[in-house]
Amino acid sequence: MTPDLTVIVPAYNESRTVGTVIDRLVHNLGSIAYEILVVDDASKDDTAQIVRSLGEGQPQIRVISHNINQGKTQALVTGFKEAQGRVVIVQDADLEYDPADMLKLVTPILEGRADVVYGSRLAKSDHANQFMARSYFANKVITFVSNLFTRYKFSDVETCYKAFRCEIIQNMIISSQRFGFEIEVTAKISKLDLKTAESPITFASRSYEDGKKIGVYDGLQALWYILKYNLFTSKADSFIRVPDLRQPLPAAE
């Protein structure tokens, strides 16, 4: 049976939270057919073992482990290759994003009203206080510059919560490093004639002391990636095969 949804969970040393994230996903996704694919990026803790334990007797929960740490983007690439769902969404392994928001991002794609949906932490003005000041400012700058090139009107391009028709993300050539995926994928979907949407989500920011991994270097790298993937990368170089989005989303089997 083809699931409606594949949830890709990149994880590195997230043993404290990954079990809770999976439990919340299972609780909130019960109304559709889904699979949860955790990509363990060579964690040094018990992340992979926890997922395997939770997956016993539940084949919809799987784990793939990297032998060496390759970064979040490469963990996502591994997950996308293995995805079986009609729609694919990314879920971080910490507790910053609430799986209770997931269906409202996925449903517009399943119903044919969108091809890509972003979950915005900033679509509501009162969500701004959930960010650390430095992260909030950096995100606003990066989103503004990205929108200049793509002509989208996203409010939060750096959000983890991005849902796609599977054929879009599986055919995309992804070459960025570390946290560059957010910028690269936004630039490359802008080269397609597709329907995008954005939906407000809740967000609980964690500090660097709590394990947040993104830093100043990643912000500077994001600005370079905006130029690289918007100006110097063609549509032909962005996709293995350009998806034909005129066709409706394949029916569940």
Side-chain angles (χ1 to χ4, degrees):
M1 177 180 177
T2 301
D4 291 317
L5 176 66
T6 297
V7 183
I8 306 296
V9 185
Y12 177 66
N13 292 345
E14 299 287 4
S15 61
R16 291 189 302 166
T17 57
V18 69
T20 302
V21 168
I22 291 175
D23 286 342
R24 291 184 182 179
L25 286 168
V26 170
H27 176 74
N28 285 283
L29 296 176
S31 61
I32 64 172
Y34 67 88
E35 64 171 350
I36 299 169
L37 179 54
V38 178
V39 182
D40 170 49
D41 194 25
S43 295
K44 299 176 182 179
D45 62 9
D46 295 331
T47 296
Q49 294 92 317
I50 290 170
V51 179
R52 291 192 184 97
S53 178
L54 290 170
E56 291 181 1
Q58 299 190 76
Q60 74 273 27
I61 300 174
R62 297 188 286 148
V63 61
I64 297 175
S65 293
H66 286 169
N67 292 325
I68 60 173
N69 181 262
Q70 300 178 50
K72 180 179 180 179
T73 294
Q74 288 307 306
L76 289 172
V77 170
T78 296
F80 296 147
K81 289 178 180 178
E82 296 292 326
Q84 299 175 8
R86 298 193 295 151
V87 176
V88 177
I89 193 169
V90 178
Q91 166 74 55
D92 280 349
D94 54 35
L95 297 174
E96 288 190 326
Y97 294 81
D98 187 353
D101 290 320
M102 189 167 285
L103 283 180
K104 66 183 180 182
L105 305 181
V106 172
T107 300
I109 304 178
L110 291 173
E111 294 181 348
R113 295 183 283 115
D115 302 304
V116 175
V117 180
Y118 282 20
S120 174
R121 300 164 291 178
L122 295 172
K124 293 182 178 180
S125 59
D126 59 349
H127 285 184
N129 60 11
Q130 297 166 338
F131 281 80
M132 292 179 294
R134 184 175 68 181
S135 296
Y136 175 78
F137 176 75
N139 186 49
K140 293 291 286 186
V141 170
I142 291 168
T143 297
F144 174 77
V145 178
S146 177
N147 285 343
L148 286 179
F149 287 92
T150 63
R151 298 188 179 181
Y152 287 139
K153 296 181 180 179
F154 290 131
S155 62
D156 184 11
V157 75
E158 290 283 4
T159 179
C160 157
Y161 264 2
K162 293 179 171 71
F164 312 88
R165 285 179 55 154
C166 187
E167 63 265 40
I168 295 173
I169 201 65
Q170 283 195 328
N171 280 290
M172 188 179 290
I173 299 169
I174 299 172
S175 60
S176 57
Q177 301 295 319
R178 287 179 57 81
F179 300 94
F181 169 78
E182 318 298 354
I183 295 303
E184 180 177 7
V185 71
T186 304
K188 290 182 175 179
I189 64 170
S190 74
K191 302 177 190 297
L192 300 174
D193 182 17
L194 51 68
K195 296 172 289 187
T196 64
E198 188 176 62
S199 177
I201 58 172
T202 54
F203 178 67
S205 179
R206 66 175 177 171
S207 67
Y208 292 93
E209 291 76 15
D210 291 330
K212 196 171 185 69
K213 302 176 180 70
I214 194 166
V216 174
Y217 171 80
D218 298 292
L220 296 175
Q221 188 179 55
L223 294 174
W224 158 240
Y225 281 148
I226 290 172
L227 297 176
K228 177 180 179 179
Y229 292 117
N230 283 284
L231 296 181
F232 307 126
T233 307
S234 67
K235 182 195 292 187
D237 291 332
S238 298
F239 297 91
I240 300 168
R241 178 181 62 84
V242 177
D244 183 2
L245 300 175
R246 296 171 297 178
Q247 301 297 320
L249 193 71
E253 298 179 359

